[in-house]
């Protein structure tokens, strides 16, 4: 298959698989999700992503219809059916299907969705453009919920301005991007927002921090300001499908470019981890 969709046990192409009208995702966006890349038909950092997925579901009292090991086996098996060497692997669970009502049956069985499609990872040496926007999202950003409208709007605004991503901030304090984490390098120190309820705990960011420790790079997990971001030696953006990108421009102003040696060390370390994990799959086409 060139692309795969799965819903509650049914497998097919995305245009073939249908979803019941009464699935609560249609009325409330009632669900959580996770995503990663697949290399050589291996789901990258599978256990990390499953842990976060089950934690998000538990936070919202959503019942995933299978245990963690069973889901991991299913994702691996589904990935094996899709052509290619590098893929985007996405899955979500909705609370279930029932007549529209804000109140739900606590015993309702969740509905599992999976989507797998070919993917190409972005060249980490190619710089990206960013814009900034006030963060008006709710205070549960640590849960990977399907309620992504603010991020959709912010991503569209970035696209229309010729940028790649939007940095959110609350009163001048940087939180994260619309669909990525953002960190900075300053005077040899890696600085990143702490894992609180204002950001999603990025798995790629977590592994990048681990790489910094291995490399002897000092790490500070603390909030930082837009002013610090603009004055940083490097601005680093990470996500599960792009591990370590660097920015050259924020709101039309040039940033970073002052500590490429440290940046390159970090990029090399996270790429090496990916290649080792997936059996030396090609990271880029």
């Amino acid at each position: 298959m060139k692309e795969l969709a799965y819903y509650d046990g049914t497998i097919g192409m995305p245009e073939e698989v249908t979803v019941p009208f009464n699935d609560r995702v249609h009325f409330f966006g009632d669900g959580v999700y996770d995503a990663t890349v697949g290399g050589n038909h291996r789901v990258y950092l599978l256990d990390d992503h499953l842990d976060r997925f089950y934690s998000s579901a538990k936070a919202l009292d959503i019942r995933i219809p299978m245990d963690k090991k069973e889901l991991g086996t299913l994702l691996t098996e589904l990935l094996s059916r899709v052509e290619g060497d590098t893929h985007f692997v996405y899955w979500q669970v909705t609370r279930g299907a029932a007549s529209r009502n804000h109140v739900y049956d606590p015993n309702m069985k969740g509905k599992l969705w999976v989507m797998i499609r070919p993917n190409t990872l972005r060249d980490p040496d190619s710089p990206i453009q960013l814009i900034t926007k006030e963060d008006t999202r709710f205070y549960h950003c640590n849960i990977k919920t399907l309620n992504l409208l603010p991020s959709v709007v912010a991503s569209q605004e970035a696209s229309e301005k010729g940028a790649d991503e939007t940095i959110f901030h609350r009163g001048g304090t940087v939180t994260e991007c619309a669909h990525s984490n953002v960190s900075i390098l300053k005077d040899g120190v890696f600085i990143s927002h702490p894992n609180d309820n204002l950001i999603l705990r990025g798995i790629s960011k977590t592994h990048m921090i681990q790489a910094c420790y291995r490399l002897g790079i000092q790490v500070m997990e603390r909030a930082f300001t837009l002013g610090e971001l603009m004055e940083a030696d490097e601005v680093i953006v990470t996500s599960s499908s792009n591990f370590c990108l660097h920015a050259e421009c924020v709101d039309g102003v040039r940033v970073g470019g002052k500590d490429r040696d440290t940046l390159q060390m970090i990029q090399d370390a996270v790429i090496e981890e990916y290649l080792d994990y997936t059996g030396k799959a090609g990271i880029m086409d």
Side-chain angles (χ1 to χ4, degrees):
M1 300 178 69
K2 295 185 181 298
E3 197 169 339
L4 178 146
Y6 169 104
Y7 178 82
D8 196 30
T10 299
I11 301 171
M13 296 290 288
E15 63 270 19
E16 298 171 340
V17 177
T18 60
V19 177
F21 179 83
N22 277 338
D23 193 304
R24 286 175 61 90
V25 71
H26 294 145
F27 306 117
F28 303 109
D30 195 353
V32 298
Y33 76 102
D34 220 296
T36 183
V37 295
N40 273 352
H41 290 96
R42 186 171 186 191
V43 184
Y44 186 48
L45 301 178
L46 176 61
D47 290 341
D48 294 37
H49 285 277
L50 288 177
D51 285 346
R52 186 172 65 180
F53 182 61
Y54 279 79
S55 294
S56 291
K58 183 177 180 180
L60 297 179
D61 192 31
I62 294 174
R63 298 178 180 273
I64 300 173
M66 60 185 69
D67 64 30
K68 199 178 296 185
K69 182 177 180 180
E70 186 179 0
L71 177 53
T73 299
L74 174 65
L75 291 173
T76 301
E77 193 278 326
L78 293 176
L79 178 58
S80 71
R81 301 187 183 201
V82 185
E83 300 171 16
D85 295 322
T86 308
H87 298 89
F88 176 64
V89 183
Y90 173 97
W91 63 99
Q92 68 182 37
V93 63
T94 60
R95 193 176 301 279
S99 296
R100 188 186 187 281
N101 191 332
H102 283 74
V103 177
Y104 59 86
D105 177 357
N107 296 313
M108 185 182 301
K109 181 180 177 182
K111 300 294 186 182
L112 182 69
W113 313 41
V114 181
M115 177 188 67
I116 302 174
R117 67 188 184 208
N119 185 50
T120 301
L121 301 185
R122 186 164 181 160
D123 182 355
D125 292 329
S126 178
I128 60 175
Q129 315 290 317
L130 306 173
I131 63 170
T132 61
K133 187 177 182 67
E134 184 72 27
D135 191 347
T136 59
R137 300 171 300 166
F138 65 176
Y139 286 90
H140 300 289
C141 296
N142 55 306
I143 303 172
K144 205 166 173 68
T145 170
L146 298 176
N147 304 145
L148 296 174
L149 280 180
S151 294
V152 168
V153 171
S155 297
Q156 181 66 22
E157 182 178 341
S159 178
E160 292 176 357
K161 291 182 176 179
D164 301 282
E165 193 30 317
T166 298
I167 299 172
F168 286 132
H169 64 93
R170 292 181 186 261
T173 297
V174 174
T175 50
E176 58 183 352
C177 296
H179 46 86
S180 315
N181 288 121
V182 59
S183 307
I184 60 175
L185 278 172
K186 184 65 176 179
D187 298 329
V189 180
F190 181 90
I191 303 171
S192 193
H193 193 97
N195 290 324
D196 56 20
N197 66 314
L198 300 182
I199 73 165
L200 179 71
R201 178 183 61 81
I203 290 171
S204 289
K205 187 188 84 160
T206 298
H207 280 256
M208 188 166 56
I209 288 172
Q210 293 171 355
C212 287
Y213 286 130
R214 293 195 301 271
L215 294 167
I217 298 169
Q218 183 181 352
V219 174
M220 295 182 65
E221 293 188 75
R222 66 163 177 83
F224 59 91
T225 66
L226 280 174
E228 289 179 287
L229 178 113
M230 301 303 292
E231 295 296 324
D233 295 332
E234 299 291 347
V235 177
I236 302 173
V237 173
T238 56
S239 68
S240 292
S241 56
N242 288 296
F243 311 135
C244 188
L245 303 179
H246 66 284
E248 68 174 2
C249 189
V250 175
D251 289 335
V253 178
R254 293 193 67 84
V255 297
K258 303 171 188 173
D259 194 356
R260 290 299 169 83
D261 289 342
T262 303
L263 173 65
Q264 189 68 58
M265 288 171 58
I266 298 171
Q267 288 177 326
D268 289 347
V270 297
I271 291 171
E272 181 180 6
E273 181 181 24
Y274 168 78
L275 295 176
D276 286 344
Y277 189 101
T278 58
K280 303 298 183 183
I283 188 167
M284 291 167 291
D285 294 337

